[in-house]
Amino acid sequence: MDIPYIVEERADTGLNNVKLGIWLFLASEASYVLLRLMAVEWPLGVDVLNVPLGAVNTAVLIGSSVTMVMAYASLKMDSLDRYKWWMSWTIGLALLFMVIKGFEYNHEFDIGNFPWTSTYLAIYFTMTGLHALHIIGGVIVNSYFLGPGAKMWETNKAQFTNRVEAAGLYWHFVDLVWIFLFPVLYLL
Amino acid sequence: MPDVTTAEHAAKAGHGHEHGHEEQSFWRQYIFSVDHKVIGIQYAITGLLFLLFGFGLMMLMRWQIAYPGAPIPLIGGLLGDERAPGGIMLPEFYNQLGAMHGTIMVFLGVVPLAVGGFGNFVLPLQIGAPDMAFPKLNMASYWSFFLGGVVMFASFFVPGGAANSGWTSYAPLSVFATTGQTLWLVGMIFLITSSLLGSVNFIVTTIQLRAPGLSFMRLPFFVWAQLVTAFLLLLAFPPLEAAGVLQLMDRVAGTSFFLPSGLVYADAPWEASGGGSVLLWQHLFWFLAHPEVYVLILPAMGIVAEILANNTRKPVWGYRVLVYSVVFLGFMSFVVWAPHMFLTGMGTTMSSFFQTTTMIISIPSVVILSALFITLYGGSIRFTVPMLFALAFLPMFGIGGLTGLPLGLSAPDIHLHDTYYVIGHFHYVVAPGTLMALFGGIYYWFPKATGRKMSDLLGRIHFWGSFVAINVVFMPMLYQGTAGMNRRMYDGGEQYQMNADVLWLNEVISIGAWVLAFFQLFFIYNFFNSIKRGEKVGANPWQATTIEWQAPSPPPHGNFAAPPVAYRGPYEYSVPGAPNDFVMQGDPDSAAQPAKV
């Protein structure tokens, strides 16, 4: 027996396995973030952080979400070349985000702001750090689907498209977390 | 895809070649396997080994409690000077043993066995699926668990030894603790990642891969119990992972998430920015750890329901009520964490709220237990070995549950908090309760996994010896605790005058623990001996009804020769007019029984 509903949807649930799985995974991540936020006291405002840089980064990340959608849409339109073009942009923008983040961290360290300086900075570094880890994870997965993983296109188009969709859901989630973090950490 | 060699490829790609398992190497087939049955057995054996190890830690502690300051016989000299110079246990080592006993038993023993082991092995078979929905993820889940176990085990050998702040790792004590605590946190992050991946897999498998005709109300109760458990693991564990990362930051990066301002440690002000909250850790920890109690108990209830139906030759009484209760229990378990914190000064409003929710959650538990008891009524009971364990579960879990009520009420909790009563209470739930059910489950599904039965005589010796000994261990603890004896005492409570009357029980309990260990030898021998030499059995040795008994024993890769179909509910025993006293779920013969829900 083979495992059913890898690509096609099960009639009575209206889902395929991958989509249900990635949504459950994201649900658990959401409860993780929520509880963490409920938990901490909010010590102070924002003079410490570089709001323009953060805003640029927000734009970069939203941009990468858009290109991710374009990559998925290209597969749906049966064009692997366009998919590779948009996926490269997605990865490139994610890396740009990390570079800008690196400059921000570097600046904070230069002016003597470290995780142990205050609880506000501890929260800033922990949350953006964990977010960055998620970005790195996403870049690894997306790079796999751009490179060796794309071979699946020749053998099983539907399943490959599915995989890219799941990666996309994850990517939008990571993006969404940033859209949440940016106002909370930088603006409030 | 012309040249598929590995079976999981075949399974994933969704085409016919899945007889590739003969071509697999030893490593692919037994070590890095993606077959849910192999992974389930890996989980179960690793879990059993950790249970034995955790029990060993406890036997060392029981020596110190029964005979404080006396050198440990036999192995005392092997422990080394930093743990037990001259064989006499140091208080620091006692604390490590206590913290690691709890951690290992819960996170590396019972949960991997009950969820990872039974869930992985039985659940896909019971719903008629060829495998889990994500076989590779399943393997990743096991190996993440394994790594977590290795890290935990290794922490005994770092300077300062393993974590020693209790299994709850309360801040700020844990923030100041030795290196072992850092490894504890890293280990926990691996374990939580593992259970997260596992729970996603369980939920998707249950929802998507049910056999045709197997509607939700035809699922065996075991599957329901595992499904609710998976949701608890999915939603309750991540907050502890978050808390673990925060504590790791406190310890490694010098942050102050759990450190208040103006903290003095070892007569000197602690160098930290402060401003954190100590109670925050407790909230985050218990937000996981109370649902965790239900993670420990629900799979056991599922196993017991299967065994009871099979051995009473009756349908489980009140199937729908059982299902609604277990779902309600799952929801409620997220709002009952704070009775563990009644004495922390979180306030009376919080206390009243949580004592109300705690009383409410006892209702579905009592309903489930009552339904299982009523199942016995009027049955023609077969006293097989699994049935003995399942029968023992009922009163044992009953005692465990009822002794919990006084702890859930804020007034009696003032007296009972942090005494041996608490230890007695939760051990009655987890040890004589869950563990009895898990042993029953091992005897019950062993023929499915190996094609052979375990020895009946050795099983009975194991049961009766364990059943008596385990009560000798835990019953006196309730008595000691009611008398006011504190837990976590390195000298077993000798230093307090008020304990004088109940101190003699320490030795009784310790001897009970060693006797309990002795009777496990019968199980260990029986387990390994039966794999090679047990009595050979066919596909359905217990004359059971659920779908897993349709597959050959042991089931091949892919499980079923033809996709099974469910025609009726899971417990069609003693159907009036049917030729046999059981009608299998996948039996299409409508003459045997008109299909009904």
Side-chain angles (χ1 to χ4, degrees), chain B residues 20-191:
Chain B
H21 60 105
E22 284 93 357
E23 305 152 29
Q24 287 179 336
S25 66
F26 170 82
W27 287 90
R28 252 311 189 191
Q29 201 170 350
Y30 295 110
I31 311 297
F32 296 104
S33 174
V34 291
D35 182 342
H36 75 99
K37 297 181 292 297
V38 178
I39 295 171
I41 292 168
Q42 286 176 328
Y43 259 118
I45 289 179
T46 320
L48 282 168
L49 287 175
F50 271 116
L51 281 177
L52 189 65
F53 179 62
F55 188 32
L57 301 184
M58 177 41 65
M59 285 192 286
L60 284 177
M61 295 173 79
R62 283 314 312 183
W63 175 269
Q64 170 65 23
I65 292 168
Y67 313 108
I72 302 164
L74 304 175
I75 58 162
L78 304 174
L79 293 172
D81 280 348
E82 70 275 27
R83 300 186 187 91
I88 298 167
M89 188 183 291
L90 289 172
E92 292 80 5
F93 186 50
Y94 179 87
N95 284 343
Q96 292 172 33
L97 290 176
M100 294 310 283
H101 167 75
T103 307
I104 286 173
M105 285 312 217
V106 171
F107 297 109
L108 289 162
V110 177
V111 173
L113 181 56
V115 181
F118 283 104
N120 262 314
F121 187 88
V122 179
L123 185 136
L125 285 169
Q126 266 193 340
I127 62 172
D131 203 318
M132 295 290 264
F134 308 115
K136 284 180 189 162
L137 203 63
N138 207 12
M139 181 177 84
S141 165
Y142 172 77
W143 286 104
S144 176
F145 154 73
F146 188 82
L147 272 178
V150 169
V151 171
M152 288 287 185
F153 185 74
S155 70
F156 277 99
F157 303 101
V158 296
N164 52 17
S165 313
W167 82 287
T168 55
S169 289
Y170 278 180
L173 182 65
S174 53
V175 178
F176 303 140
T178 49
T179 322
Q181 181 65 25
T182 306
L183 288 180
W184 186 90
L185 291 165
V186 174
M188 283 309 287
I189 289 170
F190 276 115
L191 294 179

Side-chain angles (χ1 to χ4, degrees), chain B residues 384-470:
Chain B
T384 58
V385 175
M387 184 60 171
L388 291 175
F389 280 98
L391 284 175
F393 168 85
L394 298 177
M396 294 297 100
F397 175 65
I399 294 174
L402 290 176
T403 51
L405 291 180
L407 295 171
L409 294 165
S410 57
D413 187 57
I414 294 169
H415 174 66
L416 296 171
H417 182 84
D418 221 16
T419 65
Y420 266 87
Y421 181 87
V422 180
I423 301 193
H425 152 66
F426 68 74
H427 278 88
Y428 257 104
V429 175
V430 179
T434 298
L435 280 183
M436 282 283 169
L438 294 182
F439 276 127
I442 291 174
Y443 284 99
Y444 186 64
W445 278 298
F446 190 87
K448 183 50 61 187
T450 62
R452 291 167 188 274
K453 247 183 182 170
M454 289 174 80
S455 153
D456 202 52
L457 175 70
L458 291 176
R460 280 169 203 277
I461 296 173
H462 173 222
F463 169 74
W464 287 108
S466 305
F467 182 66
V468 173
I470 209 163

Side-chain angles (χ1 to χ4, degrees), chain A residues 1-6 10 13 15-18 20-21 24 28 31-32 35 39 115-119 122-123 126 159, chain B residues 11-12 15 18 130 132 134-135 196 200 203-204 208-210 234-235 238 242 249 253-255 257 273-274 280 284 560:
Chain A
M1 279 176 73
D2 294 333
I3 297 173
Y5 312 118
I6 289 176
R10 184 179 165 123
T13 59
L15 291 163
N16 64 44
N17 299 344
V18 175
L20 181 58
L24 286 168
S28 82
S31 83
Y32 173 86
L35 241 122
W116 53 87
T117 313
S118 76
T119 301
I123 291 166
T126 310
Q159 192 178 353
Chain B
K12 277 241 138 184
H15 68 109
E18 34 101 35
M132 295 290 264
F134 308 115
L196 177 65
V200 169
I203 296 171
V204 175
Q208 291 288 94
L209 301 191
R210 281 168 295 126
L234 181 76
L235 299 176
M249 290 293 284
T255 58
F257 290 113
S273 59
L280 173 61
L284 290 174
F560 299 94

Side-chain angles (χ1 to χ4, degrees), chain B residues 2 6 25 53 55 73 91 110 134 144 159 189 222 224 253 260 271 282 291 331 385 400 458 524 535-536 558 568 586:
Chain B
T6 54
S25 66
F53 179 62
F55 188 32
V110 177
F134 308 115
S144 176
I189 289 170
F222 177 82
W224 269 109
E271 292 291 335
Q282 294 195 23
F331 277 109
V385 175
L458 291 176
I524 295 169
E535 178 200 337
K536 278 198 173 172
R568 51 184 63 78

Side-chain angles (χ1 to χ4, degrees), chain B residues 307-524:
Chain B
I307 298 175
L308 282 186
N310 178 252
N311 287 286
T312 56
R313 316 306 292 169
K314 276 180 67 187
V316 164
W317 192 86
Y319 173 80
R320 277 170 183 272
V321 176
L322 280 176
V323 169
Y324 298 146
S325 297
V326 80
V327 172
F328 181 62
L329 197 78
F331 277 109
M332 284 304 291
S333 71
F334 285 100
V335 283
V336 290
W337 76 86
H340 300 273
M341 302 163 59
F342 277 154
L343 297 196
T344 57
M346 64 180 178
T348 49
T349 320
M350 290 275 271
S351 294
S352 349
F353 173 77
F354 279 105
Q355 84 176 12
T356 313
T357 55
T358 305
M359 292 304 115
I360 291 173
I361 201 173
S362 65
I363 296 170
S365 317
V366 170
V367 169
I368 292 174
L369 197 61
S370 307
L372 293 177
F373 263 116
I374 298 171
T375 303
L376 298 175
Y377 181 76
S380 45
I381 297 176
R382 296 177 178 177
F383 288 98
T384 58
V385 175
M387 184 60 171
L388 291 175
F389 280 98
L391 284 175
F393 168 85
L394 298 177
M396 294 297 100
F397 175 65
I399 294 174
L402 290 176
T403 51
L405 291 180
L407 295 171
L409 294 165
S410 57
D413 187 57
I414 294 169
H415 174 66
L416 296 171
H417 182 84
D418 221 16
T419 65
Y420 266 87
Y421 181 87
V422 180
I423 301 193
H425 152 66
F426 68 74
H427 278 88
Y428 257 104
V429 175
V430 179
T434 298
L435 280 183
M436 282 283 169
L438 294 182
F439 276 127
I442 291 174
Y443 284 99
Y444 186 64
W445 278 298
F446 190 87
K448 183 50 61 187
T450 62
R452 291 167 188 274
K453 247 183 182 170
M454 289 174 80
S455 153
D456 202 52
L457 175 70
L458 291 176
R460 280 169 203 277
I461 296 173
H462 173 222
F463 169 74
W464 287 108
S466 305
F467 182 66
V468 173
I470 209 163
N471 278 289
V472 172
V473 172
F474 295 116
M475 192 61 83
M477 287 187 184
L478 296 173
Y479 181 67
Q480 283 183 324
T482 324
M485 190 163 134
N486 269 6
R487 65 196 281 202
R488 299 200 171 104
M489 291 279 129
Y490 164 66
D491 61 356
E494 240 179 15
Q495 59 190 297
Y496 289 109
Q497 187 64 47
M498 65 175 184
N499 295 334
D501 289 342
V502 292
L503 217 51
W504 64 277
L505 284 168
N506 279 345
E507 196 176 351
V508 175
I509 296 173
S510 295
I511 291 171
W514 298 321
V515 171
L516 182 61
F518 170 72
F519 279 102
Q520 303 319 301
L521 298 178
F522 291 91
F523 172 76
I524 295 169

